[in-house]
Amino acid sequence: FFANPQTLLGKVIEKAFVLEKLNCLFRNFIAEELRVFCRVANFREGILVIQADNSSVATQLSFARAELLHYFRTQGKLYSLISIEIILK
């Protein structure tokens, strides 16, 4: 009933599952010391949105953007990924 993709609640639950899976992949890629300071916030229209708690973490993620793109496309089989946007909390 709750996971019925035809209902609004079902769509929200489905999106939450997708984001959790993407966040798990992200956490496997990112350095352990950064894991508590960043997370997958959204995936929309081919853009993966990653939220960073501060500008230092955002800068480090920006430097790893190309590697992240490759990782998600290969390991995550996220072929529809066009770009990664990094936002501050």
Side-chain angles (χ1 to χ4, degrees):
F1 169 74
F2 290 116
N4 180 353
Q6 302 302 316
T7 66
L8 179 59
L9 180 59
K11 290 177 184 177
V12 170
I13 290 171
E14 185 177 337
K15 178 81 171 198
F17 281 130
V18 168
L19 291 178
E20 181 58 30
K21 182 179 177 185
L22 291 173
N23 197 50
C24 286
L25 277 169
F26 175 70
R27 290 175 59 80
N28 287 335
F29 173 84
I30 205 71
E32 189 173 344
E33 60 271 7
L34 294 178
R35 288 181 188 159
V36 297
F37 302 109
C38 51
R39 68 215 49 84
V40 170
N42 203 356
F43 181 68
R44 64 177 184 272
E45 299 174 8
I47 300 170
L48 182 67
V49 180
I50 299 175
Q51 182 183 56
D53 289 350
N54 58 57
S55 59
S56 174
V57 172
T59 299
Q60 291 179 59
L61 291 172
S62 290
F63 287 134
R65 192 184 315 253
E67 292 174 68
L68 271 168
L69 273 168
H70 179 73
Y71 175 78
F72 273 101
R73 287 176 179 157
T74 57
Q75 300 299 315
K77 297 182 176 36
L78 195 60
Y79 306 119
S80 61
L81 180 60
I82 298 168
S83 67
I84 294 177
E85 179 182 347
I86 299 165
I87 61 171
L88 286 175
K89 183 176 180 180

